[in-house]
Amino acid sequence: MTTSTPVDVFPGWAQLWRRSRWFLAAAVFVLLVALLISGLGGHREYPPLDPRDTDPHGTRAALHLLEERGLTTRTVATEDELTAALAEPGTTVVVPFTAPMTSRQLVLLGRQHRGSDSRLVLIGPDNNALAAITPDIALATDPAGNPLYEDPTAVDPGCALPEATRAGRAELGGLLYRPGPGDVGCYAVSGHPALVRHTDPGSREIVVLGNARALTNDRLDEQGNASLALGLLGSRRQLVWYLPDFSNMPDGEQPKSLTDFIPAGWNWAALQLAIAALLTALWRGRRLGPVVTEELPVVVRAAETTEGRARLYHRAKARGRAADALRRAARHRIAATLGIPLSTGEPEPTALCAAVADRVQQPATDLHALLYGAAPTDDAALLRLTDQLDALERQVRQP
Amino acid sequence: MALTGRTALIAALGALVVGLLLPSWAGIGAVGLPLLLAVLADLVLAAPVRSLRFERGGDTTVRLGDPADVELSVTNPSRRRLRARLRDAWAPSAWAPGTAVPGSRHTLTIPAGERRLLTTRLAPTRRGDQRSHRVTVRSLGPLGLAARQGSHQVPWTVRALPPFASRKHLPSRLARLRELDGRTSLLSRGQGTEFDSLREYLPGDDVRSIDWRASARRNTVAVRTWRPERDRHVLIVLDTGRTSAGRVGDAPRLDAALDAALLLAALATKAGDRVDLLAHDLHVRRTVLGRSASEVLPAFTNAMATLEPALVQTDLRALTSATLRLAPHRSLIVLLTGLDAGPIEEGLLPQLPLLTKRHEVVLASVADPRLDELAATRGTVQDIYGAAAAEQTRADRTRTAGRLTRRGITVLDAPPAALPPALADTYLALKAAGRL
């Protein structure tokens, strides 16, 4: 009988530190690397035509030029800010993308919401947007009714618009438009203008560009692009760039996700379920005592060396050695069967061949070649030799 | 502490309450707070684990392959009823395969101040000492939501002895021994045997055994009866170096050697000889010396139980000198070692004259049936190379055995199952020939 002593489960702080220090070190290392990566790779991805973006597709250069000329520029993100900016007189508002905007937002860009002496620059608006903002302008279409599109190229202005005549040749194209009566159309590509200016009463202008290539950092220094950009965007004292967060669209306009169909209360139930899952993990994760380990003896298969030698023979193509070993084994077995004495560990060759020849009725010279012959030259010969030796042994045992 | 599935289930069902009735923090609190209180109450009310008293009893030795029952008595001195799960932890090789988890777990209920006896059934799969690790108790609270958990050290050792599988060969060898001994009705006479007694001639007796002088002194024809020599010394020397670690079939060579040594020891003890054991690799690992006949086998199995092969090259020179020290007079020395050409030729052959000068030496080696299998395999080129390598190994062993035989040593090279009876037969043959 032996008695018991309780085991202290708590290992002590020193032991805990010893056990966990490498994990802590690893965690700190991972954290540092993560911080480093996020710090170094802090390159932000902007959407195209973003005025903060210095990439080829951004418009930082144009804005910078304008700021140098004393314009105040800012960006607006929300609908309210846009409405306020539009209502201000003496302002240029750039709306680079109209496609993701809702019809209600498009209506806000209409004439009655804009202040006097203002300019609204739209880039590549479709018919839907044009109809809401300025119904006079429309997309130019081919006879089948499809919108026309030309890749931007350097074209002459060919119109009386002061900004265009000052700029001269510029790279324009993209969507092409059909100007309304009284509108100025410039930079016609295949007969349709890629830039249209519409003026509403009170000097409220709308400039529609088929494509914003001329404004990008990449192409600003080509042709008259820079001059055109400065002219189009710098005609008023203020420049406002509308950069909506399209992921933050108002409710009701977005497609509904699965969570929207779940009644609100069940989010709390899901939280409670998560707590239950945590408790389950605690329940299942608690072991009834530590894992027991034991030292196992090292055992290697005894035939391992022999198998290794076989692989060595194979790799070295040691057919001669292999044939020698097989022949010697066969000679010894045959000698034992026929009762030929092993003098000096080997049966006497002539006596052996004679005895075998007598037993199997084959010429002794053939048998000598088989039992003492030259090393086989290839693997097929080695296989043949093995078969012949096996056959000979069988015959000797049962003639 | 530990939680139970019940706690998790209640928390999961609480999701219904939160979802249907109180979808807010208040709902989560309404479910969580009572549950937390219940868990705490359970922890407080559970029977303490630290104050439990344990005592062990039961088997201390077991033959490998047989089950051993270890008893654990648990006393609950507290004033609370103990409802607990208990784990009696032992090393994995202490359990029959697949029973480690169910075998070590017990569910028990002990009223306050009472004691219960648990039985843990072990079935060691390895030779050697199995030590108990910890007894871990998870004491559940009255609500079954949470439990206190703690461990106790309750030491106990179960020694797994070598299986001695070859003892099935013992009766037939003992019968042969009795024939030699002259105790059977047949009179058989060995050459080097000792004179036992005279008795009357019976038809069928060898006429050469008639003692004419004795017959002349009495009216009847007297024959001499003989018995083999007794009180000879047998020293079994186990090589526990790296060659004994090689696995043949499922077990290392050493296990087969131990089996052979046990059969020989049992037989020689019955034959009236003294048997000693020496296990050696670089140094002396075990010795069993001068035990009386009834003690030899238990002493051998005990000494062998914890013997494991060492991955070192055996120092055959040191082994020889240790052997000579232990065998000052003429003895039968049984060397259980390998037949590898290198160590034998460099280590043993130079030492052999010292051994053979005074002693009868038998070298027994465990052969690998896998070699025969390899040598007989035909088919691909790889097989042929395998067969050639196996033939080469066999030829080397045969050559080494031949060199040893020429020096006057009896060499046995047999697969694990055949080695113990072969060694026993060799012993009987030597005894019959009076060469001890």
Side-chain angles (χ1 to χ4, degrees):
Chain A
M1 284 278 174
T2 57
T3 50
S4 58
T5 46
V7 177
D8 259 329
V9 175
F10 184 68
W13 292 109
Q15 176 72 18
L16 267 187
W17 163 246
R18 257 201 303 286
R19 264 191 224 165
S20 59
R21 59 187 165 178
W22 292 113
F23 292 101
L24 287 176
V28 167
F29 178 73
V30 166
L31 207 68
L32 280 180
V33 168
L35 281 176
L36 211 64
I37 288 173
S38 66
L40 284 181
H43 182 83
R44 289 192 56 188
E45 281 292 319
Y46 291 111
L49 299 183
D50 195 292
R52 294 160 299 187
D53 191 359
T54 51
D55 275 357
H57 297 290
T59 54
R60 180 86 196 88
L63 268 282
H64 186 66
L65 288 178
L66 288 167
E67 280 166 4
E68 278 186 349
R69 274 145 208 266
L71 263 79
T72 54
T73 63
R74 64 192 162 102
T75 58
V76 295
T78 64
E79 217 176 281
D80 295 341
E81 285 174 323
L82 176 64
T83 318
L86 283 170
E88 276 178 58
T91 307
T92 305
V93 178
V94 183
V95 180
F97 305 100
T98 53
M101 294 170 77
T102 63
S103 49
R104 197 170 53 78
Q105 288 174 318
L106 287 173
V107 169
L108 291 178
L109 301 176
R111 177 175 42 172
Q112 59 276 23
H113 299 287
R114 279 182 269 133
S116 59
D117 189 28
S118 67
R119 178 178 276 187
L120 176 64
V121 179
L122 303 172
I123 292 162
D126 56 6
N127 270 338
N128 189 21
L130 289 172
I133 301 164
T134 167
D136 291 346
I137 310 175
L139 281 173
T141 51
D142 62 4
N146 297 318
L148 286 173
Y149 183 89
E150 293 288 340
D151 284 329
T153 47
V155 280
D156 287 320
C159 67
L161 191 70
E163 290 93 336
T165 48
R166 214 179 307 134
R169 272 174 86 83
E171 289 181 323
L172 278 168
L175 288 168
L176 304 179
Y177 294 93
R178 189 161 45 74
D183 296 348
V184 183
C186 301
Y187 298 103
V189 184
S190 59
H192 297 284
L195 187 158
V196 176
R197 194 199 62 186
H198 171 87
T199 312
D200 286 318
S203 189
R204 298 178 171 96
E205 292 176 344
I206 290 181
V207 174
V208 174
L209 275 169
N211 184 286
R213 186 174 151 100
L215 309 181
T216 58
N217 297 338
D218 189 26
R219 310 300 300 175
L220 196 68
D221 56 344
E222 303 287 330
Q223 308 284 347
N225 289 355
S227 173
L228 183 66
L230 292 182
L232 290 180
L233 305 178
S235 63
R236 306 293 191 276
R237 299 300 309 155
Q238 284 191 64
L239 177 66
V240 176
W241 205 283
Y242 181 49
L243 289 172
D245 187 1
F246 289 114
S247 62
N248 211 356
M249 297 289 277
D251 286 344
E253 301 271 341
Q254 244 176 342
K256 285 194 165 189
S257 72
L258 183 66
T259 48
D260 294 331
F261 291 100
I262 299 175
W266 292 100
N267 290 336
W268 293 97
L271 181 61
Q272 179 63 34
L273 273 182
I275 294 172
L278 183 73
L279 291 176
T280 311
L282 287 175
W283 162 45
R284 299 308 303 171
R286 184 79 166 108
R287 268 194 314 251
L288 194 54
V291 172
V292 182
T293 57
E294 72 175 312
E295 276 182 32
L296 292 173
V298 183
V299 277
V300 186
R301 288 196 305 135
E304 199 89 329
T305 46
T306 305
E307 282 164 10
R309 190 196 303 223
R311 283 192 290 273
L312 214 59
Y313 280 177
H314 193 186
R315 195 176 305 165
K317 302 199 191 323
R319 299 184 197 96
R321 268 186 177 281
D324 273 354
L326 291 166
R327 276 173 167 151
R328 189 176 55 236
R331 287 198 300 264
H332 281 233
R333 281 194 291 266
I334 290 171
T337 313
L338 296 180
I340 296 166
L342 301 180
S343 53
T344 68
E346 271 286 317
E348 211 272 308
T350 46
L352 180 72
C353 290
V356 176
D358 192 39
R359 178 93 160 186
V360 301
Q361 307 297 327
Q362 280 178 22
T365 47
D366 291 2
L367 294 170
H368 192 274
L370 178 58
L371 289 171
Y372 293 92
T377 50
D378 56 7
D379 285 341
L382 181 63
L383 281 169
R384 259 199 317 281
L385 173 73
T386 320
D387 286 346
Q388 287 167 349
L389 285 173
D390 287 348
L392 182 67
E393 275 187 57
R394 269 196 302 279
Q395 281 177 342
V396 168
R397 276 199 302 275
Q398 306 167 323
Chain B
M1 67 161 279
L3 295 175
T4 64
R6 205 177 282 185
T7 315
L9 182 67
I10 290 174
L13 290 175
L16 288 176
V17 177
V18 172
L20 292 173
L21 303 177
L22 285 166
S24 62
W25 283 114
I28 300 239
V31 173
L33 221 57
L35 189 60
L36 181 66
L37 288 176
V39 164
L40 288 176
D42 237 11
L43 283 176
V44 170
L45 293 176
V49 171
R50 277 188 78 87
S51 64
L52 291 177
R53 304 293 303 160
F54 294 87
E55 277 177 33
R56 274 203 200 272
D59 297 340
T60 51
T61 54
V62 59
R63 212 170 266 298
L64 191 65
D66 293 346
D69 289 331
V70 177
E71 286 158 1
L72 182 69
S73 88
V74 189
T75 313
N76 176 18
S78 71
R79 276 178 296 174
R80 299 195 202 117
R81 185 186 180 81
L82 174 76
R83 285 169 58 230
R85 294 270 293 152
L86 182 146
R87 175 180 173 221
D88 190 5
W90 295 73
S93 70
W95 305 97
T99 65
V101 173
S104 61
R105 263 71 166 176
H106 302 275
T107 305
L108 70 166
T109 307
I110 306 180
E114 290 191 20
R115 182 157 77 156
R116 290 287 180 276
L117 194 68
L118 303 171
T119 303
T120 304
R121 169 154 287 207
L122 305 174
T125 55
R126 274 179 54 207
R127 216 160 23 81
D129 283 349
Q130 295 287 355
R131 288 186 180 79
S132 72
H133 280 247
R134 288 179 184 184
V135 174
T136 306
V137 180
R138 182 176 289 183
S139 164
L140 286 168
L143 298 172
L145 293 174
R148 297 189 192 184
Q149 183 167 323
S151 296
H152 284 255
Q153 208 74 263
V154 195
W156 193 255
T157 304
V158 173
R159 175 163 285 191
L161 303 172
F164 195 9
S166 64
R167 64 183 182 276
K168 61 175 181 270
H169 298 292
L170 193 57
S172 61
R173 267 64 190 181
L174 285 176
R176 292 256 300 282
L177 186 69
R178 276 195 296 277
E179 279 173 29
L180 281 179
D181 224 2
R183 279 184 230 150
T184 47
S185 53
L186 270 171
L187 179 80
S188 72
R189 181 194 157 193
Q191 283 174 352
T193 45
E194 292 172 353
F195 174 70
D196 184 23
S197 61
L198 288 168
R199 66 164 171 77
E200 203 172 312
Y201 175 83
L202 291 171
D205 283 348
D206 191 345
V207 289
R208 285 174 297 177
S209 60
I210 295 174
D211 186 337
W212 295 110
R213 287 189 198 190
S215 303
R217 286 199 295 273
R218 46 171 94 182
N219 305 340
T220 55
V221 181
V223 291
R224 291 180 187 176
T225 60
W226 307 86
R227 61 166 199 188
E229 310 142 301
R230 300 181 70 88
D231 300 321
R232 299 296 150 145
H233 183 220
V234 179
L235 177 62
I236 301 175
V237 182
L238 281 169
D239 172 2
T240 57
R242 75 182 165 79
T243 46
S244 70
R247 186 156 57 86
V248 173
D250 276 338
R253 278 205 166 104
L254 183 65
D255 284 17
L258 295 183
D259 212 29
L262 282 176
L263 182 65
L264 179 61
L267 186 62
T269 313
K270 290 274 191 239
D273 291 335
R274 289 180 295 117
V275 190
D276 290 339
L277 177 77
L278 166 69
H280 196 287
D281 39 62
L282 273 182
H283 312 284
V284 175
R285 296 275 301 277
R286 298 276 188 291
T287 50
V288 180
L289 302 172
R291 297 305 177 100
S292 69
S294 58
E295 284 176 348
V296 164
L297 220 49
F300 269 38
T301 44
N302 241 327
M304 288 172 176
T306 53
L307 206 57
E308 292 290 346
L311 293 185
V312 292
Q313 179 66 51
T314 304
D315 185 351
L316 283 170
R317 184 181 294 268
L319 185 143
T320 313
S321 59
T323 306
L324 289 172
R325 259 199 321 280
L326 295 181
H329 307 294
R330 181 172 173 79
S331 311
L332 170 65
I333 290 169
V334 179
L335 268 174
L336 285 155
T337 180
L339 260 185
D340 296 342
I344 293 282
E345 282 173 15
E346 288 163 21
L348 190 62
L349 279 182
Q351 308 287 316
L352 261 191
L354 294 172
L355 286 175
T356 50
K357 192 169 71 186
R358 198 182 289 157
H359 306 294
E360 183 70 32
V361 181
V362 173
L363 189 145
S365 166
V366 183
D368 190 354
R370 171 85 182 130
L371 279 188
D372 301 340
E373 209 176 280
L374 269 179
T377 310
R378 296 288 186 269
T380 63
V381 179
Q382 194 130 24
D383 292 341
I384 302 301
Y385 283 117
E391 295 288 13
Q392 185 67 48
T393 309
R394 286 207 296 201
D396 288 347
R397 286 176 79 89
T398 314
R399 205 183 57 240
T400 311
R403 295 187 67 168
L404 290 169
T405 310
R406 278 196 297 283
R407 304 288 186 95
I409 288 184
T410 313
V411 177
L412 290 176
D413 188 19
L419 186 67
L423 184 59
D425 290 344
T426 307
Y427 167 78
L428 288 174
L430 287 172
K431 202 162 182 63
R435 281 169 62 186
L436 295 192

